[in-house]
Amino acid sequence: MTLPRRGYSTHPPNAKLNLPVDYSTTPLLAHSSQAALHNPELPLDVRDGATKRMNLFQAINDALSLALAEDESVLLFGEDVAFGGVFRCSMKLAEMYGGDRVFNTPLSEQGIMGFAIGAAAEGMRPVAEIQFADYVFPAFDQMVNEAAKFRYRDGTCGRHVGGLTVRMPCGAVGHGALYHSQSPEALFTHVPGWRVVMPRSPLQAKGLLLAAIRSNDPVVFMEPKVLYRAAVEQVPVAPYELPLSKAEVLKEGKDLTIVSYGQPLYLCLNAIRQAEQDLGISAELIDLRTIYPWDRKTVLRSVQKTGRCIVVHESMVNAGVGAEVAAAIQEDASTFVRLEAPVLRLAGWSIPTPLVFEKFNIPDVARIYDGIKKILNY
Amino acid sequence: MKIRRFPGLAPSLRGPSLLLPSRGTAIAFTPLATHRLAGSLSQRPDSKYVQFPGAVKSAFTNALSFEQPASHEAMPTYRAVDQNGHVVDSSFKPDLSDEEVIKLYRHMLLVSIMDIIMFDSQRQGRISFYMVSAGEEAVTVGSASALAKEDVVFCQYREQGVFAQRGFTPRDFMNQLFANKKDPGKGRNMPVHYGSRELNIHTISSPLATQIPHASGAAYALKMQHLHNPSSVPPRVAVVYFGEGAASEGDFHAALNIAATRSCPVIFICRNNGYSISTPVLEQYRGDGIASRGVGYGIETVRVDGNDIWAIREATKRAREMALQDGGRPVLIEALTYRVGHHSTSDDSFAYRARVEVEEWKRRDNPISRLRKWMEAKGIWDEAKEKEAREGIRRDLLKAFQEAEKEKKPPIRTMFEDVYEELTPEIKGQMAELRDLIERYPDEYDVNDFDGGKDSLK
């Protein structure tokens, strides 16, 4: 007996654009040790060191392990963290660093966040986990009113919760529906005091997470859960940091700029490749990495060069990160005069993420490809 | 059929029938033998007690009967000294010298005299806001007097007595209230949102109850720091104050539960003064106050007469010892008292309660007069000393008031700082924009009250 074929998370047989991302060949991942170490952002001693193949959850696990090893004030906690986490990110860490430093909390997001803030205020470096970004909202008050404003209101007393990092799996995963798919990054970018980071790959996740944990500002670290197992690359074994609030130009181009972050970067690249082949153009691809405070300079410089910009993200288009990027582009006088087309936002529709309609909701390769055509034909 | 690989699934569980580890789904991977013994969970035949993991000490009963809140007597309220200043707990021995007792008394007086001065000055428009703590001076001064200097304190906002007891001077109060350039909060916070690093009191924030789980987390930090460096870091507790209204917030629940499960050395002190702004306790809860909840979280709890400074001091002293025992644990103290003053300067409490009710409390049972009676009975206080103390305190406060009122406001630049550890390029740009605006519209902004004028925006 054959089971009925699922009507979602599949690709139509004749599709040319909306094909599964082949993470084993994408140039956005370092498939060889050489490619991984060729990164000029890595410290020299790390570039001379060894690498290991890791997927995203393993790279996060590696970063957490290094952070716990290098600083006894680092604590790791959340729901179901002790046995390794529902996404395996904290595997073996409780055994290695002890139940006092890696532990389960009761099931209460506001409790997790409040507890983390108190620990950070007394000099610890808590890494709190919210099991899904969809469940961060009970902790919103603690994040917005407390963590974000802690340093500001303490004034010359100088206390802060900069040691705090909040990790949360985010983004669509094919079947997560309303409460296992959300990407609430834009909500955090509207809160002065937090840094908001989303990595696209294992190598990046390790460096950005270590930077986040060591940073003296609180950081929301959002992990695209669809990449936990899918994205595999060579990752330097040594500890290293990648800079916060710095975008990365993944691919240079001259006709348009695409700005994105997290998993959609893979879709952008596929769309760019097809468009470059079909239309004979060249596109620049920028990974924001830190969504707030974001690297305006790199984006503006690129758009000044190309004159066209598309912003791509999964979360809802209205008041999303794309709105801020587009506004900043038109507001900057020396970029505005170089614009040859309106800035285009390709993002989730203004709806929740519905189960069987996911593939129609979030921007895919076809939409990005079409966006490229539209912006070039303007 | 092609089996998709879903992130988040253990290899053994990958398969078409399994999706994301949805919330609340227990995923049994490798057995967690470290946490529970394999044999301890099964229901043994003929056992009189349940063996379900949720409550292992519960006996079976054949009679269906719901537990009645009313069948439990209200938790008793501990008193050491009664309304007339007489000692009622025969085991109670004051452990302070006469001078130290007088200091406590003076701190209570300071808070109560400052209440009157500042309430009036808000009415005159000289400060924007104030909150009195009349009637609750014993809870704050008494509990703070039982703590070590290194203990970390979190307040709600009606705890001026804690600040006074730990060393806040009239000047410190006034600088914050006037938000001048000497205010550690750099003029960013509303009046009464004090904070002090030296005194180990975290800066007050307006959202209610948010500080309660902070205290649990801080207590865990203090415990870990002592464990890591027992010789250089002394054992410390975290202490958190909140009202009975704040205890209805989810953060109260979260804080007590996590403190109990993580064995945090934290003392929760609830000021149950009968009202949350206009809401009387009958509309706040239907259980036996806040104290009865502590037991539900597995937390040792005591209820004390909050107008008896000795009772609250004794309870806090004992709570501190308990909190530090056996690897640490939380303790809950509910102090029953009465909010004699209005909720704040933005509130007229006679809109929802009778003036006579308030007058009765002021007259019949007042924490300050109770300690005064005790001191007079002991022969260490009299009318002359009272008069002298009140006049001296009033003088100090007014002097500090005048000085603080005259100080400049903090530099305008201060508004942009401390959002992050360093100014971001975005914020630097906005600072320049504001400076430019002020320069082009000099008549629209009064910058002279601010230290350094517009030049601080460079």
Side-chain angles (χ1 to χ4, degrees):
Chain A
M1 191 191 104
T2 50
L3 290 168
R5 193 184 156 97
R6 279 228 172 75
Y8 50 96
S9 300
T10 54
H11 295 275
N14 299 324
K16 290 187 185 62
L17 295 164
N18 284 337
L19 300 168
V21 173
D22 186 356
Y23 291 100
S24 65
T25 57
T26 174
L28 294 188
L29 294 168
H31 301 291
S32 69
S33 181
Q34 203 187 0
L37 298 173
H38 187 63
N39 186 335
E41 284 183 336
L42 294 174
L44 280 177
D45 55 323
V46 174
R47 297 179 69 180
D48 285 340
T51 65
K52 198 180 156 197
R53 246 173 86 83
M54 296 182 199
N55 63 24
L56 189 77
F57 83 64
Q58 289 162 337
I60 285 162
N61 182 273
D62 188 37
L64 293 172
S65 185
L66 290 167
L68 284 157
E70 75 183 6
D71 183 350
E72 69 179 12
S73 64
V74 173
L75 303 172
L76 183 67
F77 52 83
E79 294 157 16
D80 307 301
V81 163
F83 86 110
V86 297
F87 288 110
R88 330 311 285 142
C89 290
S90 50
M91 285 288 278
K92 304 264 186 282
L93 298 179
E95 288 93 319
M96 278 166 75
Y97 301 100
D100 282 347
R101 297 184 60 203
V102 180
F103 53 86
N104 290 339
T105 64
L107 207 164
S108 165
E109 285 76 16
Q110 68 191 106
I112 292 168
M113 203 64 66
F115 185 90
I117 290 168
E122 285 305 315
M124 305 303 274
R125 292 201 170 271
V127 183
E129 178 179 301
I130 298 295
Q131 205 161 73
F132 286 83
D134 309 65
Y135 305 128
V136 73
F137 305 112
F140 221 58
D141 182 36
Q142 286 286 353
M143 295 181 75
V144 175
N145 279 326
E146 297 296 320
K149 298 169 177 59
F150 207 100
R151 184 196 296 276
Y152 193 72
R153 71 176 182 234
D154 211 41
T156 54
C157 291
R159 289 166 294 196
H160 59 87
V161 294
L164 170 59
T165 303
V166 185
R167 296 176 40 240
M168 57 188 84
C170 69
V173 69
H175 51 258
L178 310 183
Y179 306 111
H180 296 82
S181 302
Q182 294 178 62
S183 283
E185 65 275 7
L187 298 174
F188 298 115
T189 65
H190 200 61
V191 182
W194 280 98
R195 292 186 183 274
V196 186
V197 175
M198 194 188 294
R200 71 159 192 281
S201 76
L203 188 151
Q204 217 187 48
K206 178 175 171 179
L208 291 172
L209 183 53
L210 274 173
I213 294 171
R214 293 170 181 171
S215 149
N216 282 329
D217 293 316
V219 180
V220 177
F221 194 81
M222 303 179 67
E223 301 163 6
K225 58 182 157 313
V226 73
L227 300 179
Y228 274 141
R229 287 172 186 279
V232 183
E233 69 181 329
Q234 292 290 338
V235 176
V237 175
Y240 60 93
E241 282 183 37
L242 292 174
L244 300 181
S245 290
K246 190 144 190 353
E248 184 182 358
V249 179
L250 297 178
K251 176 190 170 309
E252 305 226 355
K254 57 179 178 38
D255 299 312
L256 78 150
T257 302
I258 299 188
V259 178
S260 189
Y261 50 88
Q263 196 275 342
L265 287 162
Y266 296 93
L267 307 174
C268 293
L269 189 69
N270 285 0
I272 287 172
R273 284 171 145 189
Q274 196 59 48
E276 288 185 341
Q277 199 186 315
D278 295 353
L279 313 169
I281 51 107
S282 85
E284 187 145 306
L285 182 60
I286 296 180
D287 179 0
L288 276 186
R289 298 197 285 193
T290 296
I291 305 165
Y292 193 77
W294 62 287
D295 183 357
R296 285 180 165 74
K297 220 164 137 186
T298 299
V299 172
L300 295 179
R301 196 193 301 133
S302 170
V303 179
Q304 283 166 23
K305 178 177 74 176
T306 63
R308 291 178 170 89
C309 183
I310 302 175
V311 194
V312 182
H313 55 74
E314 273 186 24
S315 54
M316 178 176 92
V317 63
N318 184 71
V321 171
E324 184 55 41
V325 173
I329 288 170
Q330 70 81 24
E331 199 175 48
D332 183 72
S334 37
T335 313
F336 176 73
V337 295
R338 302 297 312 269
L339 275 185
E340 292 175 38
V343 178
L344 184 60
R345 292 178 290 164
L346 301 176
W349 308 124
S350 302
I351 56 170
T353 307
L355 181 70
V356 299
F357 310 109
E358 184 187 293
K359 64 177 176 177
F360 301 110
N361 181 33
I362 58 177
D364 56 12
V365 179
R367 250 171 90 187
I368 302 166
Y369 177 85
D370 185 58
I372 294 172
K373 278 172 77 169
K374 271 187 187 155
I375 202 168
L376 287 168
N377 292 333
Y378 176 81
Chain B
M1 185 191 135
K2 190 177 168 191
I3 293 174
R4 252 163 223 299
R5 295 198 166 193
F6 294 100
L9 293 178
S12 61
L13 289 183
R14 273 188 206 138
S17 64
L18 290 155
L19 298 172
L20 284 166
S22 73
R23 204 166 143 89
T25 312
I27 305 171
F29 294 109
T30 46
L32 286 174
T34 46
H35 296 293
R36 282 178 185 138
L37 293 172
S40 68
L41 278 184
S42 57
Q43 187 68 56
R44 281 170 202 156
D46 304 323
S47 172
K48 291 196 164 66
Y49 288 86
V50 299
Q51 292 291 326
F52 294 116
V56 286
K57 283 181 191 160
S58 167
F60 285 114
T61 173
N62 300 332
L64 174 62
S65 147
F66 287 81
E67 199 69 14
Q68 299 299 320
S71 67
H72 294 262
E73 251 189 72
M75 202 179 288
T77 301
Y78 172 68
R79 254 185 185 188
V81 172
D82 72 9
Q83 273 165 272
N84 303 313
H86 299 146
V87 174
V88 288
D89 173 7
S90 53
S91 72
F92 165 68
K93 294 269 176 303
D95 57 345
L96 296 176
S97 68
D98 294 346
E99 292 71 40
E100 285 169 317
V101 178
I102 289 171
K103 260 193 196 164
L104 296 192
Y105 184 71
R106 287 182 63 96
H107 291 146
M108 288 163 68
L109 278 186
L110 169 72
V111 171
S112 110
I113 296 170
M114 185 167 69
D115 270 0
I116 296 161
I117 297 173
M118 297 320 290
F119 194 86
D120 288 347
S121 71
Q122 191 278 338
R123 286 293 183 256
Q124 295 161 14
R126 294 166 83 173
I127 59 169
S128 58
F129 179 76
Y130 194 72
M131 301 183 98
V132 304
S133 54
E136 298 174 49
E137 299 92 341
V139 177
T140 50
V141 172
S143 55
S145 76
L147 303 176
K149 226 174 59 208
E150 301 81 21
D151 292 339
V152 172
V153 177
F154 293 84
C155 292
Q156 180 169 304
Y157 48 58
R158 212 181 295 288
E159 290 90 3
Q160 277 95 326
V162 172
F163 283 87
Q165 177 59 30
R166 285 175 80 95
F168 233 48
T169 64
R171 239 179 232 153
D172 295 325
F173 282 115
M174 295 300 167
N175 288 335
Q176 199 284 328
L177 293 168
F178 282 101
N180 65 29
K181 68 176 194 182
K182 290 182 174 166
D183 164 23
K186 298 192 184 179
R188 294 166 183 157
N189 305 312
M190 277 177 84
V192 192
H193 292 52
Y194 315 106
S196 170
R197 182 169 204 156
E198 282 156 54
L199 306 179
N200 281 316
I201 312 176
H202 279 286
T203 299
I204 290 167
S205 72
S206 308
L208 284 180
T210 45
Q211 81 279 15
I212 314 177
H214 295 178
S216 304
Y220 194 74
L222 303 180
K223 169 173 147 170
M224 293 296 285
Q225 286 159 8
H226 176 63
L227 277 176
H228 287 151
N229 302 298
S231 54
S232 59
V233 181
R236 292 178 288 166
V237 299
V239 182
V240 58
Y241 296 84
F242 51 93
E244 88 285 349
S248 295
E249 293 280 3
D251 278 320
F252 167 85
H253 156 70
L256 270 70
N257 198 31
I258 198 167
T261 57
R262 292 310 306 168
S263 305
C264 301
V266 50
I267 307 175
F268 298 105
I269 301 181
C270 177
R271 297 176 290 94
N272 189 338
N273 63 18
Y275 288 94
S276 310
I277 307 187
S278 73
T279 306
V281 290
L282 276 178
E283 291 165 22
Q284 198 62 248
Y285 53 73
R286 281 300 165 101
D288 178 23
I290 307 306
S292 64
R293 302 182 199 166
V295 184
Y297 290 106
I299 292 177
E300 286 155 284
T301 301
V302 67
R303 173 177 279 161
V304 301
D305 179 343
N307 287 0
D308 175 6
I309 191 167
W310 291 113
I312 181 85
R313 180 176 154 81
E314 290 300 304
T316 312
K317 228 165 63 184
R318 190 83 60 84
R320 188 175 188 278
E321 284 164 19
M322 286 158 55
L324 290 171
Q325 275 165 9
D326 308 327
R329 62 183 192 268
V331 185
L332 171 63
I333 299 174
E334 181 184 27
L336 296 181
T337 173
Y338 185 84
R339 197 193 77 210
V340 175
H342 299 300
H343 165 71
S344 73
T345 47
S346 310
D347 171 51
D348 172 14
S349 67
F350 300 130
Y352 50 81
R353 64 180 183 181
R355 194 179 285 265
V356 57
E357 173 186 326
V358 179
E359 292 306 321
E360 291 269 286
W361 277 102
K362 275 195 197 165
R363 192 161 48 83
R364 287 205 188 143
D365 191 15
N366 173 305
I368 296 179
S369 58
R370 213 195 284 197
L371 180 59
R372 182 177 166 186
K373 283 173 189 163
W374 184 91
M375 287 159 63
E376 284 175 350
K378 200 165 184 280
I380 60 171
W381 202 250
D382 56 32
E383 185 57 40
K385 283 181 175 150
E386 175 80 10
K387 194 162 175 271
E388 192 193 324
R390 282 183 177 272
E391 280 171 4
I393 290 167
R394 199 179 143 76
R395 225 177 13 249
D396 290 349
L397 281 165
L398 288 175
K399 187 161 174 269
F401 181 109
Q402 281 156 6
E403 284 172 8
E405 198 176 29
K406 267 187 249 152
E407 281 290 352
K408 288 219 164 194
K409 301 283 174 222
I412 304 173
R413 177 192 181 86
T414 308
M415 70 186 264
F416 291 104
E417 294 169 331
D418 302 330
V419 181
Y420 295 92
E421 188 180 30
E422 285 167 14
L423 290 174
T424 61
E426 180 187 6
I427 293 177
K428 277 186 198 163
Q430 293 172 355
M431 202 159 86
E433 259 186 71
L434 177 62
R435 181 186 156 85
D436 175 59
L437 183 75
I438 294 172
E439 278 177 347
R440 288 184 297 107
Y441 294 88
D443 298 337
E444 304 299 322
Y445 299 93
D446 189 359
V447 298
N448 294 323
D449 286 349
F450 296 85
D451 196 33
K454 67 176 164 46
D455 290 340
S456 76
L457 289 170
K458 271 178 195 161

